[in-house]
Amino acid sequence: ELKVEQNPLFLSMQEGKNYTIYCNYSTTSDRLYWYRQDPGKSLESLFVLLSNGAVKQEGRLMASLDTKARLSTLHITAAVHDLSATYFCAVDRDDKIIFGKGTRLHILP
Amino acid sequence: GAVVSQHPSWVICKSGTSVKIECRSLDFQATTMFWYRQFPKQSLMLMATSNEGSKATYEQGVEKDKFLINHASLTLSTLTVTSAHPEDSSFYICSARPSWELEQFFGPGTRLTVL
């Protein structure tokens, strides 16, 4: 059974700081996703990572994938308040997407 | 491109009634659509996979007679919550997968409140 674990589940940090969210998964996968969810809203796709060593960056967010370690990271650089949200990683296997529990990120001004 | 809509965006109903939620892929054909449920402060849980023209595949623990799924065309899937109860109150999100790739595109969600 494919399991996806994120940590931390809650993160409160100050603006301007850097931090990393980790995502481990238990079996091999076709691809890994990172999503953002704002309160009361659906998912916004951030990154799709396909291969070992993949790194993608968009603004202050950077995602990487290590398929050998079954680990993905989402790094936040110089956080700003607008990045406050819940971030989910998800793994695609056998035509299904399995989600982690999510990381609730709260950035203090 | 790859826009998915849901209707309604929110619905309030009385216990015992049935509610239908529509999921449409607006600018692409989706051979496969997925239905998720999300309780407050929790993650998304896959309920079922819906394939056009065939029966849906339900995840373990999801009652197929309670959550009726119909995927009548390549752009429309419906989820009917039958005999709804307060514990069915949740955020229901659908996604659609284009025929040309593996990525899913998510709808805006439907918030169901059962009184």
Side-chain angles (χ1 to χ4, degrees):
Chain A
E1 180 188 352
L2 174 59
K3 292 184 180 180
V4 182
E5 294 188 357
Q6 283 182 242
N7 73 84
L9 298 181
F10 302 95
L11 178 56
S12 182
M13 56 191 291
Q14 290 199 311
E15 278 190 329
K17 300 291 186 182
N18 304 331
Y19 210 81
T20 300
I21 301 171
Y22 297 88
C23 176
N24 289 92
Y25 53 99
S26 59
T27 63
T28 56
S29 169
D30 296 322
R31 55 181 60 192
L32 188 137
Y33 305 89
W34 284 98
Y35 296 96
R36 168 179 172 149
Q37 186 179 36
D38 292 299
K41 304 291 186 181
S42 187
L43 301 181
E44 173 189 351
S45 179
L46 296 175
F47 302 107
V48 182
L49 302 172
L50 300 178
S51 58
N52 188 42
V55 176
K56 290 191 175 181
Q57 183 164 3
E58 182 71 34
R60 301 175 187 273
L61 301 178
M62 182 173 71
S64 66
L65 178 62
D66 181 343
T67 58
K68 294 180 181 178
R70 296 175 187 161
L71 170 68
S72 180
T73 61
L74 180 66
H75 187 74
I76 303 155
T77 302
V80 292
H81 181 68
D82 286 351
L83 291 179
S84 297
T86 298
Y87 293 85
F88 291 98
C89 71
V91 174
D92 197 332
R93 181 176 171 83
D94 297 334
D95 293 335
K96 296 180 183 180
I97 290 183
I98 306 299
F99 285 84
K101 290 186 176 181
T103 297
R104 291 175 61 193
L105 177 62
H106 182 50
I107 299 172
L108 305 169
Chain B
V3 178
V4 177
S5 71
Q6 281 183 241
H7 178 80
S9 56
W10 61 269
V11 57
I12 302 173
C13 70
K14 292 183 178 180
S15 186
T17 60
S18 294
V19 174
K20 180 185 285 188
I21 302 170
E22 292 185 348
C23 176
R24 292 182 185 271
S25 55
L26 297 185
D27 51 2
F28 65 97
Q29 292 185 333
T31 51
T32 306
M33 291 184 171
F34 303 85
W35 287 96
Y36 297 85
R37 179 168 54 182
Q38 185 180 33
F39 292 110
K41 294 183 170 52
Q42 293 189 23
S43 186
L44 279 74
M45 297 299 296
L46 179 65
M47 298 176 67
T49 301
S50 167
N51 292 294
E52 186 267 337
S54 63
K55 290 183 179 180
T57 303
Y58 291 82
E59 294 300 299
Q60 194 171 12
V62 177
E63 299 174 59
K64 62 180 180 180
D65 294 330
K66 180 171 182 63
F67 299 99
L68 302 179
I69 292 172
N70 185 290
H71 194 156
S73 75
L74 287 172
T75 60
L76 173 65
S77 176
T78 60
L79 168 68
T80 302
V81 183
T82 63
S83 186
H85 290 284
E87 57 263 32
D88 298 323
S89 298
S90 187
F91 193 43
Y92 292 85
I93 303 174
C94 74
S95 70
R97 170 177 285 160
S99 56
W100 67 84
E101 73 153 283
L102 292 176
E103 186 173 359
Q104 297 179 24
F105 297 92
F106 287 83
T110 296
R111 186 161 303 283
L112 170 63
T113 301
V114 184
L115 302 176

